[in-house]
Amino acid sequence: MKGKALKKTAADLRRNVSREHGFRQSAYINFKVDGGYFFCLYFFANGSAFPNEAKLTVKPMYADTLWWEIWDSLECIDAPISLRGTGAYALSGMVLAKYENLIDPKESGDSEMKDLYEHIFSQADTEISRFISENPDADTFYPDETKMDYDPDRLLYLMALIHNKQEDEALSIIKEAHSNKHHCVFRSGWNSDSYTYIKRWCNRNRSAERIRHRIDNILNAVIRFRAFVIMSMSRSRRYDLPNFWDYRPLDVGIYIAIIFSWIFLMKNFTMVWISLAILVIMQFMVDGKRAKRYYREFMNLPMTIRRKWTIGSWSVTVALWVYVIFLIIKPLKQ
C-alpha cells in the first residue's frame, strides 16, 4: 500500500474507531465534549501514516470562549468546536495522558491497524472517566500547571481565575510576570499582548476603563464602516481581504482633499503636516487585526446590501475628486 493510500486508510480507521468512543475527528485531532470539558486527542505521526505518539488534553469549555471575548476574536466563538483544538488562538489544555512509542503497523492488515487506535481511545476513555469523577464541576476547575501542554503565559489558569471572579489575583500574576520581564506568546500590534487584553478586561468596570471602553466602541464603529467601504470597492478579493489598488482612489482622494483644503482655503501649512500625521496614524489603527472580522462580516451580507455599499462608496469617491478639482481650479480663476 502506497504512502498516500496508507494515510487515507489510517485517517478512516481513526475516524471509525473514534466514533465508537464518542469522539469526533478533524485533521490530526479527535475531540469530544463531556461534563463541560473539551477533551482533545492529538496524534503525531512524524512523517509516518500512523501515529507514533498521542496526547490527551483537557480544558473547560468556557475557557476558549472567555479568552476569545477578551482577545477580541469573537468570530472564533461561532466557529466549529474543532477550532478549540486546532485554532491559532485556542488555549492549551492540561495533559491527562501521553501515549508514546506506538507501534506503526505500516503494511499490516486492517485488524492490526484498528487495534492500534482501539488501544488509544480505550485508554483515553478511562482517563476521561477518572478525570470527570475527580473534577465534576468544570466551572470550579483549576488546571495543574505542572501538566500544561506549553502555556508559558498561564492563560488557562488566568481564564479560570477570571471565570471565578478572581480578577485581582489574575492582575497580580500579570504584574509579577511583567516584573520578571516576561514576553507573551500572543501579541497584537506594537505594544499589545495577551496580558494587555486581560488587564483591560479585568478593569473594564472601573471609571477610566469605562471611558476607554466607550472610545474603543467608537473606534470599532469607525473600523467597521471603513472595512465595509473598502470591501465594497474591491473588485477582486483574495482570502476575503480587500484589494489595496481598488480602494486607493478613495484614500488618495481623502488625503488630497484635506491637504488642499488647508492650503487653498485655510492657508495653513502647519495643519497640513498635522493632518497628514493624524491620517497615517488613523489608517494604521483602522486597517489592523480588528478589521479582518468586519471583512468577513461584509462578505456575509446579502448581495443587494453589498451593491448599495459599492454605489455609495464610489459616489463619495467621485464627489471627493470633484471637490479636489474645484480646489485646484478656483485659484486659477482668480
Side-chain angles (χ1 to χ4, degrees), residues 258 262 268-281:
I258 292 175
W262 285 115
N268 191 328
F269 289 91
T270 302
M271 286 304 299
V272 170
W273 296 107
I274 295 175
S275 299
L276 275 174
I278 293 173
L279 284 170
V280 170
I281 293 171

Side-chain angles (χ1 to χ4, degrees), residues 32-281:
K32 72 175 175 179
V33 177
D34 194 352
Y37 294 98
F38 178 81
F39 296 95
C40 188
L41 261 171
Y42 293 87
F43 288 89
F44 306 98
N46 298 319
S48 173
F50 286 84
N52 52 27
E53 183 181 351
K55 178 170 54 182
L56 176 65
T57 66
V58 62
K59 56 185 172 181
M61 277 294 290
Y62 73 75
D64 283 306
T65 303
L66 177 58
W67 165 239
W68 288 331
E69 288 179 358
I70 293 173
W71 187 241
D72 198 21
S73 296
L74 301 180
E75 68 277 6
C76 295
I77 296 175
D78 297 324
I81 296 177
S82 60
L83 194 70
R84 297 168 189 263
T86 60
Y89 296 134
L91 296 179
S92 297
M94 188 182 83
V95 178
L96 290 182
K98 290 184 178 180
Y99 311 101
E100 300 175 329
N101 301 318
L102 303 175
I103 299 173
D104 185 352
K106 293 184 179 178
E107 300 295 334
S108 302
D110 287 354
S111 60
E112 188 174 353
M113 297 177 185
K114 184 177 180 180
D115 288 343
L116 171 69
Y117 290 123
E118 185 65 43
H119 170 74
I120 296 172
F121 283 104
S122 295
Q123 289 197 3
D125 280 340
T126 302
E127 286 293 335
I128 290 171
S129 297
R130 179 193 61 78
F131 175 83
I132 292 178
S133 66
E134 294 176 357
N135 304 275
D137 187 0
D139 288 324
T140 58
F141 167 74
Y142 285 86
D144 181 348
E145 294 191 275
T146 63
K147 298 179 180 179
M148 286 301 298
D149 180 23
Y150 186 73
D151 188 16
D153 299 342
R154 306 180 67 185
L155 292 181
L156 186 61
Y157 185 70
L158 289 171
M159 293 305 105
L161 288 172
I162 295 171
H163 182 71
N164 287 281
K165 312 300 181 185
Q166 301 294 321
E167 287 92 347
D168 289 340
E169 177 65 21
L171 291 173
S172 177
I173 290 174
I174 291 174
K175 183 178 180 180
E176 182 181 357
H178 281 159
S179 67
N180 294 328
K181 302 187 183 302
H182 174 76
H183 295 283
C184 294
V185 174
F186 288 126
R187 304 193 65 81
S188 175
W190 288 345
N191 299 314
S192 295
D193 56 24
S194 54
Y195 286 173
T196 307
Y197 282 78
I198 291 173
K199 285 194 296 182
R200 288 175 184 170
W201 181 270
C202 293
N203 293 323
R204 67 192 183 282
N205 292 325
R206 299 174 185 177
S207 298
E209 188 60 24
R210 281 201 300 270
I211 295 173
R212 191 208 65 80
H213 186 65
R214 289 175 185 172
I215 295 173
D216 202 45
N217 286 339
I218 294 172
L219 182 60
N220 277 334
V222 173
I223 293 172
R224 183 176 183 269
F225 180 80
R226 174 172 168 79
F228 278 26
V229 168
I230 63 179
M231 283 295 285
S232 68
M233 298 181 71
S234 296
R235 294 187 298 274
S236 59
R237 307 180 187 94
R238 190 176 183 183
Y239 306 118
D240 288 343
L241 296 176
N243 187 322
F244 169 75
W245 295 104
D246 286 343
Y247 65 84
R248 195 173 185 184
L250 174 63
D251 282 353
V252 174
I254 292 173
Y255 274 77
I256 294 178
I258 292 175
I259 292 170
F260 280 14
S261 295
W262 285 115
I263 293 175
F264 295 123
L265 298 182
M266 307 298 180
K267 311 295 183 184
N268 191 328
F269 289 91
T270 302
M271 286 304 299
V272 170
W273 296 107
I274 295 175
S275 299
L276 275 174
I278 293 173
L279 284 170
V280 170
I281 293 171

